[in-house]
Amino acid sequence: MPAPRSRPAAVLVLVSALAALGLGPAAGPAAAATVPVGAGSYSDTRPAGTSGPTTNTGTPVTPKVTPAAQGKPVPTNDWWSSLAFQRYGDNPYSTPMYGHPLTYQAVAGGLEIGYPTSPAVVGDGRQYEFAHKRDLTLGLTGLNAPDTKADAWSDWTVTPYWSDGARTLRTTIGHGLPFVYAKGTGGDARITTAEPPAVFADQGNVLGITVAGHHYALFAPTGTDWTVSGSTVTAGLGGKDYFSVAVLPSTDALATYRKYAYSFVTGSTVNWSYDAGTVRATYALTTEAKEGTERGTLQALYRHQWLHTTDPLTPYTYVSPRGTMKVREAASFTTAQRAAATLPALPGAGVDAARLRGYLNEVANSSDPFSGAVDTYWTGKALGKLAQLVPLADQIGEGAIRDKLLGLIKGRLQDWFTAGGANEFSYDQSWKTLTGYPASYGSDTELNDHHFHYGYYVYAAAIVAQYDPAWAADSAWGSMVRTLVRDTANPSRTDGAFPFLRGFDVYAGHSWASGHQGFAAGNNQESSSESTNLSAALVLWGSATGDTQLRDLGTYLLTTEGEAVAQYWFDADQQVFPASFQHDTVGMVWGSGAAYSTWWTANPEEIHGINVLPVTGGSLQLGGHKDAVRRNIAEMERENGGPAVEWRDILWEFQSLADPGAAKAKWDAGNAGYTPEAGESKAHTYHWLTALDTLGAPDASVTGSLPTSAVFLKGTTRTYVAHNHGTTARTVTFSDGKSLSVPARSTATGTGTGGTEPDPDPEPSTGNTFQLRTGGALTTATGGTAGSDTIASAQGTNHDGTPDRALVYEARNVNGTLRSGGSTAFRLQVDAGATVGLGQQARVSYDLTGDGTFDRTETYQYFATDPVTGWEEYAQGRGLKSATGALGDLRGGTVRLEVWSAIGNGDSRLQTGTDRSVLVIPYD
């Protein structure tokens, strides 16, 4: 975690480039002190008098890995990084690691395992934590290792390694894994418990025990037996080298968990895609059958994951600092989300050009536009401030101001992108990282915050690329930008020079700031918004340079982290923070919990603002949960004793994402006598607040077919905005059927053509008849334009009763009183074309309170379509196949319709946008 700082930190990202093409360091040592990269260069030697990674006492350290992992890029800034980064010289094992639901700590005798289920609120009520507390230690008889090393790792799993010369132990642990998988030699399996265990099941090689109120299952090879003696449980391995331990959600789950006890997880991989406004991600585990043939497994999904999957889940759940985790019985699952919007800038709606010109000149003509910045962080913030203003100058025809700002940005970037001066980037061969000097906040000695700092550089470079593509060419300065991206957000798992997605934890759904993770509370992240700034920068850089791989990576990161921030920093659904924690937001998320604090101040304005800045066209996703924004601002003003004073611009801009008129009124009343936050300017704040006051708040319920598009809603009027970085005109389509023609290298704004009439959202739905809209919405609005969605083929497999790649339509924040004797009804227009043997199936689910748990689920018999082209009507009269739970009144609830192919080997269609395809719920 970063050291205390006087102000926030920043973020960066971009895609990998091949060393063979001259776009960054190769896997081996650099051949010269200065390594040319396009028109720029970096150094392979740190500047005199500076440091790389060290212990807390200043002793240089190298990665603590086994010979099998030597030379591989270590993913620092992870949930388990203390295994490889020995920050504290007296601890050669690890600090607590929070995998969730389990917690771990490496010690001389093996791996401590805990399952914290009771939160503590500490620090005068400002922090909640599910701190690691040992329930048991997994090891081998006699094991007393001098250290623990990282032996292997994948996207969210890691294998710690112990050896004392006579015995070796490897364990595989990870996010969402209820199992710990162990391989050992030289001793028997040994489990030591924090207190004498209570045995609830003894099946020889399978033992069920309860420790501190938590239920565990111990699995030894078939033919062996566990022996309990006080607080020590042992089993000979019978000539084998494997055993496993699982935390059980209940004692009656033992049989299910036994089925997968010998299906050892060997790796984890996420794959993502972006398509026409939707981000999909598949999280998959690879396994090895140690006994039998079972290759499946169990994994626990975080809230931000299970909210966005239609894959079936078991009834099993776990407690975690991120709220309830739900268990999936399979080796993979897929999430689908509406893509987060990103724009180079808001359109200049309602802006007075003369007034904006005056504000722009204040910055452009400043005697020191960089405010004395010399290190990577503060230089980055200054670059970001200037970059935000370039499109604004262009909007009002001020080419001279625009070009002056671009010249300032280029000059400072080129200065940093050239080795040998007062500032430069230096590559560390041992740690496979690029560090900027002068460094700050431990970006050198602790490898902190690279994504924060470098994100500003990539963002600024993306704005330059939008106006000067030649500058961004790989042969010019673009290859240095790509090298920074490889350091912070490398999408390649085979790049020998940088780790895969260094700071971003794909399973946790967000980044981590500390390079070493050397804290009792695990890793942490304070400024989540500087992390998403990097993701937005990737979207813009990829779009400006034609790199769709990088653009789509940025969209995946921004969309995923946006939802994680909403749930874990802002508690958007009020289902994550413990009831005993009396805050509506946190400044920092830790592995063990979260804190209403920052590293440098207890000032409420900065606690709330640190997860907002910098405010850019990549911040629009913060407006996806407007009630959370309102609660956040209200708490800040309560804690502050009134409206913001220091960071008023940041917090006005944040409020405008939910209530633009109220935020603009605050600007109108107080814009004369304040000093902008260091990364802000009056020009940008005035433009932002005026534009949203004119257009309305961002509307996340509608997405465009291009990542650089957004929708705004004021009253019942939607405004559609898109930026086209390409060299030819294109038409951007939106999920409500509207479209927008966008000229080359331009931003277009309008009310759209075609599609449906807009309806207010996310205000509570009224009425009980919902149309289906392409893009996944259920709406009570009428007058839509007919369209259709494709129902994916069942691929010859029987999915009767179980959704598979289903179309999902939802209405949220629904209020209604259950009609006595009422029942669900629907009529859905479906068509199989000329394909024989298809059957479409529907499931309707009701989450009565919007807490993410569906209280009532109804699955209907499938409808066998005929092989004649034309719409057929599938209705509830086909009959109910199964139902669980009971209906009740809806209070801010969610209604979901899923439609999929139950049988057959071909795609079919589902009509949308008309009153012939509707869901009718039994509510008044």
Side-chain angles (χ1 to χ4, degrees), residues 344-345 363 380-393 405-406 409 413 456-464 466-467 616 679 684:
V363 179
K381 281 184 71 75
L383 286 166
K385 177 179 68 176
L386 298 177
Q388 291 169 9
L389 303 183
V390 171
L392 311 191
L405 293 168
L406 285 169
I409 296 167
L413 285 174
Y456 285 108
Y457 290 70
V458 178
Y459 186 92
I463 296 297
V464 173
Q466 180 178 329
Y467 293 91
T616 74
H684 180 260

PDB file of all heavy atoms in Angstrom, residues 344-345 363 380-393 405-406 409 413 456-464 466-467 616 679 684:
ATOM      1  N   PRO A 344     -13.819  11.103 -25.029  1.00  0.00           N
ATOM      2  CA  PRO A 344     -12.651  11.986 -24.868  1.00  0.00           C
ATOM      3  C   PRO A 344     -13.006  13.244 -24.079  1.00  0.00           C
ATOM      4  O   PRO A 344     -12.169  13.802 -23.378  1.00  0.00           O
ATOM      5  CB  PRO A 344     -12.255  12.321 -26.312  1.00  0.00           C
ATOM      6  CG  PRO A 344     -12.898  11.278 -27.154  1.00  0.00           C
ATOM      7  CD  PRO A 344     -14.147  10.873 -26.431  1.00  0.00           C
ATOM      8  N   ALA A 345     -14.248  13.692 -24.203  1.00  0.00           N
ATOM      9  CA  ALA A 345     -14.750  14.855 -23.464  1.00  0.00           C
ATOM     10  C   ALA A 345     -16.251  14.892 -23.628  1.00  0.00           C
ATOM     11  O   ALA A 345     -16.802  14.320 -24.581  1.00  0.00           O
ATOM     12  CB  ALA A 345     -14.144  16.154 -23.994  1.00  0.00           C
ATOM     13  N   VAL A 363      -5.194  28.718 -17.871  1.00  0.00           N
ATOM     14  CA  VAL A 363      -4.295  27.558 -17.766  1.00  0.00           C
ATOM     15  C   VAL A 363      -3.198  27.629 -18.814  1.00  0.00           C
ATOM     16  O   VAL A 363      -2.007  27.476 -18.515  1.00  0.00           O
ATOM     17  CB  VAL A 363      -5.089  26.248 -17.907  1.00  0.00           C
ATOM     18  CG1 VAL A 363      -4.137  25.045 -17.828  1.00  0.00           C
ATOM     19  CG2 VAL A 363      -6.165  26.148 -16.832  1.00  0.00           C
ATOM     20  N   GLY A 380       2.071  13.444 -13.693  1.00  0.00           N
ATOM     21  CA  GLY A 380       0.912  12.802 -14.299  1.00  0.00           C
ATOM     22  C   GLY A 380      -0.360  13.604 -14.103  1.00  0.00           C
ATOM     23  O   GLY A 380      -1.141  13.799 -15.037  1.00  0.00           O
ATOM     24  N   LYS A 381      -0.575  14.085 -12.899  1.00  0.00           N
ATOM     25  CA  LYS A 381      -1.785  14.868 -12.641  1.00  0.00           C
ATOM     26  C   LYS A 381      -1.815  16.138 -13.496  1.00  0.00           C
ATOM     27  O   LYS A 381      -2.866  16.529 -14.010  1.00  0.00           O
ATOM     28  CB  LYS A 381      -1.881  15.224 -11.156  1.00  0.00           C
ATOM     29  CG  LYS A 381      -2.385  14.089 -10.283  1.00  0.00           C
ATOM     30  CD  LYS A 381      -2.554  14.506  -8.840  1.00  0.00           C
ATOM     31  CE  LYS A 381      -3.726  15.441  -8.641  1.00  0.00           C
ATOM     32  NZ  LYS A 381      -5.036  14.759  -8.704  1.00  0.00           N
ATOM     33  N   ALA A 382      -0.670  16.769 -13.624  1.00  0.00           N
ATOM     34  CA  ALA A 382      -0.612  17.978 -14.452  1.00  0.00           C
ATOM     35  C   ALA A 382      -0.888  17.652 -15.917  1.00  0.00           C
ATOM     36  O   ALA A 382      -1.597  18.390 -16.616  1.00  0.00           O
ATOM     37  CB  ALA A 382       0.749  18.652 -14.300  1.00  0.00           C
ATOM     38  N   LEU A 383      -0.332  16.542 -16.405  1.00  0.00           N
ATOM     39  CA  LEU A 383      -0.607  16.119 -17.777  1.00  0.00           C
ATOM     40  C   LEU A 383      -2.097  15.854 -17.975  1.00  0.00           C
ATOM     41  O   LEU A 383      -2.687  16.240 -18.990  1.00  0.00           O
ATOM     42  CB  LEU A 383       0.196  14.859 -18.105  1.00  0.00           C
ATOM     43  CG  LEU A 383       1.700  15.038 -18.325  1.00  0.00           C
ATOM     44  CD1 LEU A 383       2.398  13.682 -18.302  1.00  0.00           C
ATOM     45  CD2 LEU A 383       1.965  15.751 -19.655  1.00  0.00           C
ATOM     46  N   GLY A 384      -2.694  15.196 -16.986  1.00  0.00           N
ATOM     47  CA  GLY A 384      -4.119  14.910 -17.088  1.00  0.00           C
ATOM     48  C   GLY A 384      -4.956  16.172 -17.128  1.00  0.00           C
ATOM     49  O   GLY A 384      -5.930  16.268 -17.898  1.00  0.00           O
ATOM     50  N   LYS A 385      -4.608  17.148 -16.312  1.00  0.00           N
ATOM     51  CA  LYS A 385      -5.345  18.410 -16.300  1.00  0.00           C
ATOM     52  C   LYS A 385      -5.300  19.092 -17.666  1.00  0.00           C
ATOM     53  O   LYS A 385      -6.326  19.555 -18.184  1.00  0.00           O
ATOM     54  CB  LYS A 385      -4.748  19.340 -15.234  1.00  0.00           C
ATOM     55  CG  LYS A 385      -5.384  20.715 -15.181  1.00  0.00           C
ATOM     56  CD  LYS A 385      -4.756  21.578 -14.094  1.00  0.00           C
ATOM     57  CE  LYS A 385      -3.321  21.952 -14.418  1.00  0.00           C
ATOM     58  NZ  LYS A 385      -2.740  22.866 -13.397  1.00  0.00           N
ATOM     59  N   LEU A 386      -4.111  19.156 -18.258  1.00  0.00           N
ATOM     60  CA  LEU A 386      -3.976  19.799 -19.566  1.00  0.00           C
ATOM     61  C   LEU A 386      -4.703  19.007 -20.649  1.00  0.00           C
ATOM     62  O   LEU A 386      -5.344  19.590 -21.536  1.00  0.00           O
ATOM     63  CB  LEU A 386      -2.503  19.947 -19.921  1.00  0.00           C
ATOM     64  CG  LEU A 386      -1.658  20.831 -18.988  1.00  0.00           C
ATOM     65  CD1 LEU A 386      -0.197  20.822 -19.424  1.00  0.00           C
ATOM     66  CD2 LEU A 386      -2.196  22.251 -18.934  1.00  0.00           C
ATOM     67  N   ALA A 387      -4.608  17.672 -20.578  1.00  0.00           N
ATOM     68  CA  ALA A 387      -5.230  16.844 -21.610  1.00  0.00           C
ATOM     69  C   ALA A 387      -6.745  17.007 -21.625  1.00  0.00           C
ATOM     70  O   ALA A 387      -7.373  16.984 -22.699  1.00  0.00           O
ATOM     71  CB  ALA A 387      -4.860  15.379 -21.393  1.00  0.00           C
ATOM     72  N   GLN A 388      -7.359  17.185 -20.462  1.00  0.00           N
ATOM     73  CA  GLN A 388      -8.811  17.366 -20.404  1.00  0.00           C
ATOM     74  C   GLN A 388      -9.267  18.604 -21.171  1.00  0.00           C
ATOM     75  O   GLN A 388     -10.402  18.657 -21.659  1.00  0.00           O
ATOM     76  CB  GLN A 388      -9.256  17.494 -18.948  1.00  0.00           C
ATOM     77  CG  GLN A 388      -9.133  16.221 -18.129  1.00  0.00           C
ATOM     78  CD  GLN A 388      -9.340  16.480 -16.652  1.00  0.00           C
ATOM     79  OE1 GLN A 388      -9.744  17.570 -16.260  1.00  0.00           O
ATOM     80  NE2 GLN A 388      -9.051  15.481 -15.827  1.00  0.00           N
ATOM     81  N   LEU A 389      -8.380  19.601 -21.284  1.00  0.00           N
ATOM     82  CA  LEU A 389      -8.769  20.878 -21.870  1.00  0.00           C
ATOM     83  C   LEU A 389      -8.617  20.928 -23.387  1.00  0.00           C
ATOM     84  O   LEU A 389      -9.214  21.790 -24.044  1.00  0.00           O
ATOM     85  CB  LEU A 389      -7.943  22.004 -21.238  1.00  0.00           C
ATOM     86  CG  LEU A 389      -8.043  22.113 -19.714  1.00  0.00           C
ATOM     87  CD1 LEU A 389      -7.242  23.303 -19.216  1.00  0.00           C
ATOM     88  CD2 LEU A 389      -9.488  22.205 -19.265  1.00  0.00           C
ATOM     89  N   VAL A 390      -7.834  20.020 -23.951  1.00  0.00           N
ATOM     90  CA  VAL A 390      -7.586  20.053 -25.395  1.00  0.00           C
ATOM     91  C   VAL A 390      -8.884  19.934 -26.193  1.00  0.00           C
ATOM     92  O   VAL A 390      -9.164  20.761 -27.074  1.00  0.00           O
ATOM     93  CB  VAL A 390      -6.571  18.961 -25.790  1.00  0.00           C
ATOM     94  CG1 VAL A 390      -6.470  18.842 -27.314  1.00  0.00           C
ATOM     95  CG2 VAL A 390      -5.201  19.261 -25.187  1.00  0.00           C
ATOM     96  N   PRO A 391      -9.739  18.926 -25.918  1.00  0.00           N
ATOM     97  CA  PRO A 391     -10.989  18.844 -26.698  1.00  0.00           C
ATOM     98  C   PRO A 391     -11.924  20.024 -26.454  1.00  0.00           C
ATOM     99  O   PRO A 391     -12.699  20.381 -27.345  1.00  0.00           O
ATOM    100  CB  PRO A 391     -11.627  17.535 -26.212  1.00  0.00           C
ATOM    101  CG  PRO A 391     -10.519  16.756 -25.588  1.00  0.00           C
ATOM    102  CD  PRO A 391      -9.611  17.781 -25.000  1.00  0.00           C
ATOM    103  N   LEU A 392     -11.854  20.637 -25.283  1.00  0.00           N
ATOM    104  CA  LEU A 392     -12.736  21.759 -24.992  1.00  0.00           C
ATOM    105  C   LEU A 392     -12.353  22.967 -25.840  1.00  0.00           C
ATOM    106  O   LEU A 392     -13.226  23.672 -26.370  1.00  0.00           O
ATOM    107  CB  LEU A 392     -12.678  22.127 -23.508  1.00  0.00           C
ATOM    108  CG  LEU A 392     -12.836  20.985 -22.491  1.00  0.00           C
ATOM    109  CD1 LEU A 392     -13.032  21.559 -21.096  1.00  0.00           C
ATOM    110  CD2 LEU A 392     -13.966  20.061 -22.885  1.00  0.00           C
ATOM    111  N   ALA A 393     -11.054  23.213 -25.962  1.00  0.00           N
ATOM    112  CA  ALA A 393     -10.596  24.296 -26.831  1.00  0.00           C
ATOM    113  C   ALA A 393     -11.000  24.025 -28.272  1.00  0.00           C
ATOM    114  O   ALA A 393     -11.431  24.936 -29.007  1.00  0.00           O
ATOM    115  CB  ALA A 393      -9.082  24.464 -26.715  1.00  0.00           C
ATOM    116  N   LEU A 405      -1.731  23.783 -25.817  1.00  0.00           N
ATOM    117  CA  LEU A 405      -1.861  22.735 -24.797  1.00  0.00           C
ATOM    118  C   LEU A 405      -1.230  21.433 -25.278  1.00  0.00           C
ATOM    119  O   LEU A 405      -0.521  20.757 -24.522  1.00  0.00           O
ATOM    120  CB  LEU A 405      -3.337  22.518 -24.459  1.00  0.00           C
ATOM    121  CG  LEU A 405      -4.054  23.674 -23.756  1.00  0.00           C
ATOM    122  CD1 LEU A 405      -5.553  23.443 -23.751  1.00  0.00           C
ATOM    123  CD2 LEU A 405      -3.530  23.832 -22.329  1.00  0.00           C
ATOM    124  N   LEU A 406      -1.478  21.080 -26.538  1.00  0.00           N
ATOM    125  CA  LEU A 406      -0.866  19.859 -27.079  1.00  0.00           C
ATOM    126  C   LEU A 406       0.649  19.950 -27.054  1.00  0.00           C
ATOM    127  O   LEU A 406       1.342  18.962 -26.744  1.00  0.00           O
ATOM    128  CB  LEU A 406      -1.351  19.623 -28.510  1.00  0.00           C
ATOM    129  CG  LEU A 406      -2.780  19.095 -28.672  1.00  0.00           C
ATOM    130  CD1 LEU A 406      -3.209  19.156 -30.131  1.00  0.00           C
ATOM    131  CD2 LEU A 406      -2.879  17.666 -28.146  1.00  0.00           C
ATOM    132  N   ILE A 409       1.894  19.263 -23.533  1.00  0.00           N
ATOM    133  CA  ILE A 409       1.796  17.839 -23.195  1.00  0.00           C
ATOM    134  C   ILE A 409       2.886  17.038 -23.900  1.00  0.00           C
ATOM    135  O   ILE A 409       3.586  16.219 -23.280  1.00  0.00           O
ATOM    136  CB  ILE A 409       0.401  17.307 -23.573  1.00  0.00           C
ATOM    137  CG1 ILE A 409      -0.683  17.991 -22.735  1.00  0.00           C
ATOM    138  CG2 ILE A 409       0.336  15.789 -23.397  1.00  0.00           C
ATOM    139  CD1 ILE A 409      -2.087  17.752 -23.254  1.00  0.00           C
ATOM    140  N   LEU A 413       5.845  14.833 -22.049  1.00  0.00           N
ATOM    141  CA  LEU A 413       5.891  13.387 -22.282  1.00  0.00           C
ATOM    142  C   LEU A 413       7.213  12.985 -22.922  1.00  0.00           C
ATOM    143  O   LEU A 413       7.853  11.997 -22.516  1.00  0.00           O
ATOM    144  CB  LEU A 413       4.729  12.961 -23.173  1.00  0.00           C
ATOM    145  CG  LEU A 413       3.341  12.908 -22.538  1.00  0.00           C
ATOM    146  CD1 LEU A 413       2.282  12.599 -23.599  1.00  0.00           C
ATOM    147  CD2 LEU A 413       3.282  11.863 -21.427  1.00  0.00           C
ATOM    148  N   TYR A 456      -2.166   8.509 -16.037  1.00  0.00           N
ATOM    149  CA  TYR A 456      -2.249   9.887 -16.511  1.00  0.00           C
ATOM    150  C   TYR A 456      -1.431  10.079 -17.788  1.00  0.00           C
ATOM    151  O   TYR A 456      -1.829  10.833 -18.686  1.00  0.00           O
ATOM    152  CB  TYR A 456      -1.743  10.839 -15.435  1.00  0.00           C
ATOM    153  CG  TYR A 456      -2.700  11.040 -14.280  1.00  0.00           C
ATOM    154  CD1 TYR A 456      -2.430  10.497 -13.026  1.00  0.00           C
ATOM    155  CD2 TYR A 456      -3.856  11.790 -14.431  1.00  0.00           C
ATOM    156  CE1 TYR A 456      -3.289  10.701 -11.953  1.00  0.00           C
ATOM    157  CE2 TYR A 456      -4.724  12.005 -13.371  1.00  0.00           C
ATOM    158  CZ  TYR A 456      -4.438  11.452 -12.131  1.00  0.00           C
ATOM    159  OH  TYR A 456      -5.293  11.652 -11.070  1.00  0.00           O
ATOM    160  N   TYR A 457      -0.283   9.425 -17.861  1.00  0.00           N
ATOM    161  CA  TYR A 457       0.569   9.551 -19.043  1.00  0.00           C
ATOM    162  C   TYR A 457      -0.125   8.954 -20.266  1.00  0.00           C
ATOM    163  O   TYR A 457      -0.106   9.534 -21.359  1.00  0.00           O
ATOM    164  CB  TYR A 457       1.912   8.848 -18.816  1.00  0.00           C
ATOM    165  CG  TYR A 457       2.809   9.527 -17.814  1.00  0.00           C
ATOM    166  CD1 TYR A 457       2.500   9.536 -16.457  1.00  0.00           C
ATOM    167  CD2 TYR A 457       3.981  10.146 -18.216  1.00  0.00           C
ATOM    168  CE1 TYR A 457       3.318  10.151 -15.526  1.00  0.00           C
ATOM    169  CE2 TYR A 457       4.825  10.763 -17.298  1.00  0.00           C
ATOM    170  CZ  TYR A 457       4.480  10.764 -15.951  1.00  0.00           C
ATOM    171  OH  TYR A 457       5.300  11.377 -15.034  1.00  0.00           O
ATOM    172  N   VAL A 458      -0.734   7.788 -20.074  1.00  0.00           N
ATOM    173  CA  VAL A 458      -1.413   7.144 -21.195  1.00  0.00           C
ATOM    174  C   VAL A 458      -2.629   7.963 -21.613  1.00  0.00           C
ATOM    175  O   VAL A 458      -2.911   8.113 -22.807  1.00  0.00           O
ATOM    176  CB  VAL A 458      -1.817   5.708 -20.826  1.00  0.00           C
ATOM    177  CG1 VAL A 458      -2.567   5.060 -21.987  1.00  0.00           C
ATOM    178  CG2 VAL A 458      -0.590   4.881 -20.481  1.00  0.00           C
ATOM    179  N   TYR A 459      -3.348   8.500 -20.641  1.00  0.00           N
ATOM    180  CA  TYR A 459      -4.518   9.327 -20.964  1.00  0.00           C
ATOM    181  C   TYR A 459      -4.092  10.548 -21.782  1.00  0.00           C
ATOM    182  O   TYR A 459      -4.704  10.875 -22.810  1.00  0.00           O
ATOM    183  CB  TYR A 459      -5.217   9.762 -19.677  1.00  0.00           C
ATOM    184  CG  TYR A 459      -6.507  10.504 -19.922  1.00  0.00           C
ATOM    185  CD1 TYR A 459      -7.718   9.829 -19.973  1.00  0.00           C
ATOM    186  CD2 TYR A 459      -6.510  11.886 -20.132  1.00  0.00           C
ATOM    187  CE1 TYR A 459      -8.902  10.498 -20.218  1.00  0.00           C
ATOM    188  CE2 TYR A 459      -7.693  12.566 -20.386  1.00  0.00           C
ATOM    189  CZ  TYR A 459      -8.885  11.870 -20.423  1.00  0.00           C
ATOM    190  OH  TYR A 459     -10.051  12.534 -20.680  1.00  0.00           O
ATOM    191  N   ALA A 460      -3.046  11.228 -21.314  1.00  0.00           N
ATOM    192  CA  ALA A 460      -2.568  12.405 -22.037  1.00  0.00           C
ATOM    193  C   ALA A 460      -2.098  12.024 -23.445  1.00  0.00           C
ATOM    194  O   ALA A 460      -2.367  12.733 -24.427  1.00  0.00           O
ATOM    195  CB  ALA A 460      -1.446  13.084 -21.258  1.00  0.00           C
ATOM    196  N   ALA A 461      -1.393  10.898 -23.549  1.00  0.00           N
ATOM    197  CA  ALA A 461      -0.920  10.454 -24.862  1.00  0.00           C
ATOM    198  C   ALA A 461      -2.089  10.130 -25.780  1.00  0.00           C
ATOM    199  O   ALA A 461      -2.026  10.358 -26.996  1.00  0.00           O
ATOM    200  CB  ALA A 461      -0.017   9.232 -24.702  1.00  0.00           C
ATOM    201  N   ALA A 462      -3.192   9.588 -25.232  1.00  0.00           N
ATOM    202  CA  ALA A 462      -4.357   9.263 -26.044  1.00  0.00           C
ATOM    203  C   ALA A 462      -4.994  10.520 -26.624  1.00  0.00           C
ATOM    204  O   ALA A 462      -5.456  10.524 -27.773  1.00  0.00           O
ATOM    205  CB  ALA A 462      -5.377   8.493 -25.205  1.00  0.00           C
ATOM    206  N   ILE A 463      -5.020  11.587 -25.839  1.00  0.00           N
ATOM    207  CA  ILE A 463      -5.564  12.850 -26.349  1.00  0.00           C
ATOM    208  C   ILE A 463      -4.657  13.407 -27.445  1.00  0.00           C
ATOM    209  O   ILE A 463      -5.127  13.898 -28.479  1.00  0.00           O
ATOM    210  CB  ILE A 463      -5.747  13.862 -25.209  1.00  0.00           C
ATOM    211  CG1 ILE A 463      -6.793  13.353 -24.212  1.00  0.00           C
ATOM    212  CG2 ILE A 463      -6.133  15.228 -25.748  1.00  0.00           C
ATOM    213  CD1 ILE A 463      -8.184  13.177 -24.784  1.00  0.00           C
ATOM    214  N   VAL A 464      -3.345  13.312 -27.255  1.00  0.00           N
ATOM    215  CA  VAL A 464      -2.428  13.743 -28.312  1.00  0.00           C
ATOM    216  C   VAL A 464      -2.668  12.917 -29.579  1.00  0.00           C
ATOM    217  O   VAL A 464      -2.745  13.462 -30.692  1.00  0.00           O
ATOM    218  CB  VAL A 464      -0.963  13.616 -27.858  1.00  0.00           C
ATOM    219  CG1 VAL A 464      -0.021  13.894 -29.030  1.00  0.00           C
ATOM    220  CG2 VAL A 464      -0.672  14.562 -26.704  1.00  0.00           C
ATOM    221  N   GLN A 466      -5.293  11.554 -30.633  1.00  0.00           N
ATOM    222  CA  GLN A 466      -6.548  11.927 -31.278  1.00  0.00           C
ATOM    223  C   GLN A 466      -6.345  13.070 -32.276  1.00  0.00           C
ATOM    224  O   GLN A 466      -7.010  13.121 -33.309  1.00  0.00           O
ATOM    225  CB  GLN A 466      -7.552  12.336 -30.198  1.00  0.00           C
ATOM    226  CG  GLN A 466      -8.912  12.759 -30.705  1.00  0.00           C
ATOM    227  CD  GLN A 466      -9.854  13.095 -29.559  1.00  0.00           C
ATOM    228  OE1 GLN A 466      -9.772  12.531 -28.475  1.00  0.00           O
ATOM    229  NE2 GLN A 466     -10.751  14.045 -29.789  1.00  0.00           N
ATOM    230  N   TYR A 467      -5.394  13.966 -31.976  1.00  0.00           N
ATOM    231  CA  TYR A 467      -5.167  15.144 -32.824  1.00  0.00           C
ATOM    232  C   TYR A 467      -3.898  15.042 -33.667  1.00  0.00           C
ATOM    233  O   TYR A 467      -3.761  15.766 -34.651  1.00  0.00           O
ATOM    234  CB  TYR A 467      -5.105  16.398 -31.947  1.00  0.00           C
ATOM    235  CG  TYR A 467      -6.432  16.709 -31.296  1.00  0.00           C
ATOM    236  CD1 TYR A 467      -6.739  16.208 -30.039  1.00  0.00           C
ATOM    237  CD2 TYR A 467      -7.395  17.457 -31.971  1.00  0.00           C
ATOM    238  CE1 TYR A 467      -7.976  16.461 -29.446  1.00  0.00           C
ATOM    239  CE2 TYR A 467      -8.633  17.724 -31.389  1.00  0.00           C
ATOM    240  CZ  TYR A 467      -8.919  17.209 -30.128  1.00  0.00           C
ATOM    241  OH  TYR A 467     -10.143  17.460 -29.551  1.00  0.00           O
ATOM    242  N   THR A 616     -13.186  12.670 -15.747  1.00  0.00           N
ATOM    243  CA  THR A 616     -12.969  12.695 -17.192  1.00  0.00           C
ATOM    244  C   THR A 616     -14.152  12.026 -17.875  1.00  0.00           C
ATOM    245  O   THR A 616     -15.084  11.558 -17.221  1.00  0.00           O
ATOM    246  CB  THR A 616     -11.687  11.940 -17.586  1.00  0.00           C
ATOM    247  OG1 THR A 616     -11.927  10.528 -17.461  1.00  0.00           O
ATOM    248  CG2 THR A 616     -10.504  12.335 -16.713  1.00  0.00           C
ATOM    249  N   GLY A 679      -5.529  18.497  -9.952  1.00  0.00           N
ATOM    250  CA  GLY A 679      -5.705  17.924 -11.280  1.00  0.00           C
ATOM    251  C   GLY A 679      -6.877  18.513 -12.031  1.00  0.00           C
ATOM    252  O   GLY A 679      -7.235  18.020 -13.105  1.00  0.00           O
ATOM    253  N   HIS A 684     -12.437  23.125 -17.036  1.00  0.00           N
ATOM    254  CA  HIS A 684     -13.021  21.788 -17.133  1.00  0.00           C
ATOM    255  C   HIS A 684     -14.256  21.659 -16.253  1.00  0.00           C
ATOM    256  O   HIS A 684     -15.277  21.083 -16.667  1.00  0.00           O
ATOM    257  CB  HIS A 684     -11.983  20.728 -16.756  1.00  0.00           C
ATOM    258  CG  HIS A 684     -12.519  19.330 -16.823  1.00  0.00           C
ATOM    259  ND1 HIS A 684     -12.925  18.636 -15.710  1.00  0.00           N
ATOM    260  CD2 HIS A 684     -12.747  18.512 -17.887  1.00  0.00           C
ATOM    261  CE1 HIS A 684     -13.361  17.443 -16.076  1.00  0.00           C
ATOM    262  NE2 HIS A 684     -13.256  17.345 -17.385  1.00  0.00           N
TER     263      HIS A 684
END
